[in-house]
Amino acid sequence: MVLSGGRVVDPSQDIDRTADVLIQDGAVVGILDPGSGPSDAEEIDVRGKLVTPGLIDIHVHLREPGFEYKEDIESGTRAAAAGGFTRVCCMPNTRPAIDTASVVRHILETAGQVGSARVHPIGAATVDMQGDQLTEMAELKAAGAIAISDDAFPLQHADTMRRVMDYCAMLDLPLMTHNEDKRLTEKGAMNEGYTATVMGIAGMPRIAEDIAVARNILLARLTGCHLHLLHISTAGTVDLLRRAKADGIPVTGEACPHHWALTDSACEGYNTDAKMNPPLRTQEDCEAVKAGLTDGTIDCIVTDHAPHADYEKEVEFDAAPFGILGLETSFPLTYTQLVLPGVLALSDAIAKMTTVPARVLNLPDGAGTLRPGAVADIAVFELDTEWTIDRAKVQSKSHNTPFHGMKVRGKVAFTVLGGKRIVL
Ligand SMILES: [Zn+2]
């Protein structure tokens, strides 16, 4: 198969030119001059379109097992494919949690059967994510878990975190932390500040994130563990990460589109589709996140795709669960709000959604590249297409997006997974 005549951007090889991508037996053969490939190949004309390595999202919630009414592996990976993603890493806050090898194997098997994208499970740090007894991380890794995380249930005790990091360092597993001092955010439902006060909602102060980040960075320095900071939302975190990198501490970080695109004023009117954790912050924080992306402090763009059923979100603000959809809006938001205004070059934006996350989590099979021999996972986009985000037209089972009605540019045409075009 040959994808012919597109603009091929592969940051892993510093490529940005019009070319053909030749695919055989599920792998990339090479990036060739237009029309120079074998004449008997099945041709897909992608002239005028952007061709990149399949996007990778290392932070999603697929909700299976246990919460299939919100999302399952089949619908979640369809949402991924609709967003240009060929690979996602799923968080362990399922029921049962991803805290044993058998749950890891179950997810990998199911994804292999029904997935429209590859799935890499992330193992829990503690049993049932209760923050007490450590999981058997070596067994989780042997079964296929590619990292450990406490997402949704951040470890509050430094001694537990230290032991988790010791094991992760020993096993060469990245530790992905949700950074929150829970005593500072108790009963909080949105960012602490003017809007929360006006709305009469208890606030979650930015310092709750900064304190946890500072502690976790110090513990990473002590243990040598590769610490990855999840969903960075504050200027303070960006600053701490920048300084930690300058000090040579093994720490990386990620940001979600909503944390540069929206402020806590999106919660006005008690809009539960703007409720997530960490919460939407201030304009100053949005600008800091963007600056962190520009100067390389923040390594990856992720979504924290967190589906919830309508009836769960259609309740009073305090009672609604945290989380929003992300997979189907991440690329167009990145292109429209970061690339077009010049915050990130196109190749840098693609790198933060392909090559870099693959490196951060040591993903296998030539993830995030179109080098010869790499598995043929590819995304194709129509950059000039303008469209309006519509919560009714999603592949996800859920509809909880704060971006409904927003005009964006850049639409996914299709993805190729292991050399096969995904049809949705
Ligand atoms: Zn998450």
Side-chain angles (χ1 to χ4, degrees), residues 313-329:
K313 280 288 197 180
E314 286 165 3
V315 295
E316 58 194 288
F317 196 88
D318 277 326
F322 292 104
I324 63 166
L325 301 183
L327 285 166
E328 296 177 64
T329 51

Side-chain angles (χ1 to χ4, degrees), residues 21-24 26-31 369-378:
V21 180
L22 185 62
I23 300 161
Q24 196 168 25
V28 175
V29 177
I31 297 171
T369 179
L370 299 177
R371 282 182 196 282
V375 69
D377 293 356
I378 298 170

Side-chain angles (χ1 to χ4, degrees), residues 150-406:
D150 64 354
D151 192 24
F153 297 94
L155 294 174
Q156 294 303 296
H157 300 297
D159 62 330
T160 313
M161 183 60 91
R162 179 185 179 184
R163 283 189 294 129
V164 168
M165 284 197 190
D166 276 334
Y167 277 101
C168 284
M170 196 167 72
L171 296 166
D172 198 19
L173 277 167
L175 177 67
M176 309 166 83
T177 59
H178 173 113
N179 307 288
E180 179 183 351
D181 184 317
K182 298 287 266 185
R183 287 291 284 271
L184 282 164
T185 58
E186 233 169 18
K187 296 193 173 74
M190 63 179 288
N191 184 51
E192 180 181 280
Y194 176 79
T195 310
T197 305
V198 170
M199 288 170 63
I201 299 290
M204 307 165 79
R206 297 183 285 173
I207 195 73
E209 177 170 320
D210 302 349
I211 285 173
V213 165
R215 183 200 72 177
N216 290 342
I217 285 172
L218 289 172
L219 288 170
R221 184 172 70 182
L222 177 74
T223 60
C225 170
H226 171 189
L227 170 66
H228 177 78
L229 303 175
L230 296 169
H231 40 40
I232 290 169
S233 78
T234 67
T237 296
V238 178
D239 187 43
L240 287 164
L241 175 57
R242 190 177 284 123
R243 285 196 266 165
K245 284 185 164 184
D247 289 345
I249 300 168
V251 54
T252 53
E254 59 173 48
C256 311
H258 48 270
H259 284 131
W260 78 64
L262 301 171
T263 67
D264 55 4
S265 63
C267 300
E268 283 169 7
Y270 302 93
N271 176 14
T272 57
D273 282 343
K275 179 178 176 181
M276 76 290 289
N277 188 7
L280 300 174
R281 303 288 188 180
T282 67
Q283 196 59 45
E284 180 201 346
D285 297 297
C286 292
E287 297 306 322
V289 167
K290 285 197 259 188
L293 287 162
T294 302
D295 73 9
T297 299
I298 299 176
D299 301 87
C300 316
I301 295 170
V302 304
T303 69
D304 194 8
H305 180 80
H308 292 292
D310 287 351
Y311 72 84
E312 293 174 304
K313 280 288 197 180
E314 286 165 3
V315 295
E316 58 194 288
F317 196 88
D318 277 326
F322 292 104
I324 63 166
L325 301 183
L327 285 166
E328 296 177 64
T329 51
S330 184
F331 178 83
L333 289 168
T334 301
Y335 183 65
T336 308
Q337 299 181 345
L338 300 185
V339 177
L340 288 177
V343 176
L344 281 181
L346 179 63
S347 61
D348 290 339
I350 300 297
K352 287 179 189 298
M353 302 176 86
T354 57
T355 315
V356 182
R359 191 172 61 223
V360 164
L361 291 194
N362 306 310
L363 298 180
D365 318 318
T369 179
L370 299 177
R371 282 182 196 282
V375 69
D377 293 356
I378 298 170
V380 180
F381 303 91
E382 294 164 3
L383 284 186
D384 295 330
T385 303
E386 193 174 68
W387 60 290
T388 303
I389 295 170
D390 184 347
R391 72 199 298 278
K393 292 181 186 160
V394 293
Q395 294 290 338
S396 174
K397 281 187 184 180
S398 295
H399 308 280
N400 49 315
T401 173
F403 298 112
H404 175 71
M406 187 179 277

